[in-house]
């Protein structure tokens, strides 16, 4: 009997389920008609995608929320898609830079300038009473920010240079003597005084002002003036001779021997004068160039 009941209950459940899924059923009893209609219940789930909008003008991220969610991809795309490239020539050397626009008035720049630019500074200089010829090999990678504070062509720049500038010097005797500390050493007894100078700053801050007008949809030109603080210098000078040193006495062509003084002693005196000179401690920045904007 229990088995029959269980079977009947199962059959009833199955029948009810089938009825719910079936077409409407009409049961006719005499003249009365009763309609049983099982209407399915529809539940709609709609997943609306979340849109993060990025304005790609000059590589600028416009949507803060999107920048947080998709930040890695966005900043990576910005890094590999610069806003501009520029070529330049100036007192730092010949070079180029790449710019990334952070917003309408701010641009991050990374560049390099270098080469032999000694002629731009005249090719020689005086340290007290000694004149030196200069030969240079500049290398100045830099990282900076360019601002357009008024939103037009006027610019202000600031940043850091990592200088690696080789400056070679050769002393020029005047009238056959090197006059150092008011003493005239006969050049023939000292030999050639040659050496090098190096700025002590490993990081050199700089600042500039300039102009950057556009001359077309993509092209522009620029000019900048300013200065970089390179710091004091370390100098190394050597003398090519090793014999006794003579000083000008006004009586003989060879001069008078100075006891105990060697050509290297004279070279050390020349080093001190060069370091006191602080050649290009404040490096002037003057540059001109052209820019292509993407």
């Amino acid at each position: 009997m229990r088995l029959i009941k269980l079977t009947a209950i199962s059959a009833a459940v199955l029948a009810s389920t089938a009825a719910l899924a079936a077409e409407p059923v009409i049961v006719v009893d005499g003249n009365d008609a009763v309609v049983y209609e099982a209407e399915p219940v529809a539940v709609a789930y709609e997943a609306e995608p979340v849109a993060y909008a990025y304005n790609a003008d000059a590589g600028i991220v416009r949507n803060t929320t999107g920048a947080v969610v998709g930040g890695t991809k966005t900043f990576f795309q910005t890094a590999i898609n610069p806003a501009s490239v520029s070529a330049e020539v100036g007192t730092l050397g010949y070079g180029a830079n790449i710019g990334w626009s952070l917003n309408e008035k701010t641009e991050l720049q990374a560049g390099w300038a270098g080469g032999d630019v000694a002629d731009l500074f005249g090719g020689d200089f005086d340290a007290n009473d000694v004149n030196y010829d200069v030969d240079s090999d500049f290398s100045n990678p830099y990282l900076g920010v360019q601002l357009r504070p008024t939103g037009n062509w006027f610019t202000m720049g600031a940043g850091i240079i990592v200088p690696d500038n080789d400056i070679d010097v050769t002393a020029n005797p005047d009238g056959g003597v090197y006059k150092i500390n008011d003493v005239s050493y006969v050049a023939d007894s000292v030999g050639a005084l040659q050496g090098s100078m190096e700025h002590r700053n490993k990081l050199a801050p700089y600042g500039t002002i300039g102009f950057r007008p556009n001359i077309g949809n993509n092209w522009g030109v620029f000019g900048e003036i300013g200065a970089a603080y390179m710091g004091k210098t370390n100098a190394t000078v050597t003398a090519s001779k090793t014999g006794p040193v003579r000083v000008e006495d006004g009586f003989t062509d060879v001069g008078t021997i100075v006891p105990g003084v060697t050509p290297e002693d004279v070279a050390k005196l020349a080093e001190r004068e060069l370091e006191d000179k602080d050649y290009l401690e404040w490096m002037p920045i003057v540059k001109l160039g052209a820019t292509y904007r993407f």
Side-chain angles (χ1 to χ4, degrees):
M1 180 63 69
R2 179 174 296 178
L3 178 60
I4 295 173
K5 289 182 178 180
L6 290 174
T7 302
I9 292 171
S10 300
V13 172
L14 291 173
S16 300
T17 303
L20 289 173
E23 295 293 329
V25 178
I26 301 176
V27 180
V28 180
D29 183 8
N31 295 323
D32 298 327
V34 181
V35 178
Y36 300 95
E37 182 176 353
E39 296 182 356
V41 178
V43 180
Y45 298 95
E46 183 177 355
E48 296 185 358
V50 180
Y52 298 99
Y54 300 95
N55 190 324
D57 294 341
I60 304 169
V61 180
R62 295 293 190 187
N63 189 302
T64 304
T65 305
V68 173
V69 175
T72 302
K73 181 178 179 181
T74 301
F75 291 128
F76 176 76
Q77 289 177 338
T78 300
I80 64 174
N81 292 285
S84 65
V85 292
S86 301
E88 64 183 57
V89 58
T91 53
L92 291 177
Y94 311 89
N97 68 62
I98 303 174
W100 293 269
S101 290
L102 303 182
N103 55 47
E104 290 84 353
K105 295 183 179 181
T106 309
E107 183 175 273
L108 178 67
Q109 290 184 339
W112 177 90
D116 185 359
V117 295
D119 289 341
L120 295 176
F121 300 99
D124 67 332
F125 70 95
D126 293 330
N128 290 341
D129 295 316
V130 180
N131 178 263
Y132 290 88
D133 286 333
V134 180
D135 185 24
S136 64
D137 184 12
F138 280 12
S139 177
N140 291 296
Y142 62 88
L143 181 66
V145 175
Q146 279 285 335
L147 303 175
R148 295 179 184 264
T150 57
N152 58 13
W153 54 265
F154 175 71
T155 63
M156 300 176 64
I160 292 293
I161 299 172
V162 186
D164 184 16
N165 299 324
D166 295 328
I167 304 172
D168 297 325
V169 296
T170 301
N172 295 314
D174 183 13
V177 299
Y178 301 116
K179 190 175 182 180
I180 303 174
N181 290 342
D182 295 325
V183 178
S184 297
Y185 298 96
V186 177
D188 286 342
S189 66
V190 176
L193 290 177
Q194 296 177 316
S196 63
M197 301 175 66
E198 181 181 11
H199 290 104
R200 297 175 186 175
N201 282 7
K202 301 306 179 185
L203 294 175
Y206 74 86
T208 62
I209 59 173
F211 64 94
R212 286 179 174 264
N214 294 324
I215 58 174
N217 292 332
N218 299 102
W219 289 97
V221 295
F222 67 89
E224 295 177 36
I225 59 172
Y229 182 66
M230 296 290 184
K232 296 183 179 297
T233 57
N234 292 324
T236 302
V237 178
T238 60
S240 62
K241 290 194 174 180
T242 58
V245 173
R246 298 175 180 270
V247 297
E248 187 179 56
D249 56 15
F251 301 103
T252 64
D253 293 336
V254 296
T256 303
I257 294 178
V258 183
V261 177
T262 67
E264 281 303 312
D265 293 331
V266 178
K268 293 297 181 184
L269 294 174
E271 283 182 6
R272 294 174 192 170
E273 284 196 344
L274 285 172
E275 292 181 349
D276 290 341
K277 172 67 176 179
D278 289 331
Y279 181 63
L280 298 180
E281 178 180 3
W282 285 93
M283 172 80 78
I285 295 177
V286 179
K287 66 170 68 174
L288 297 172
T291 297
Y292 181 83
R293 296 192 175 278
F294 300 102

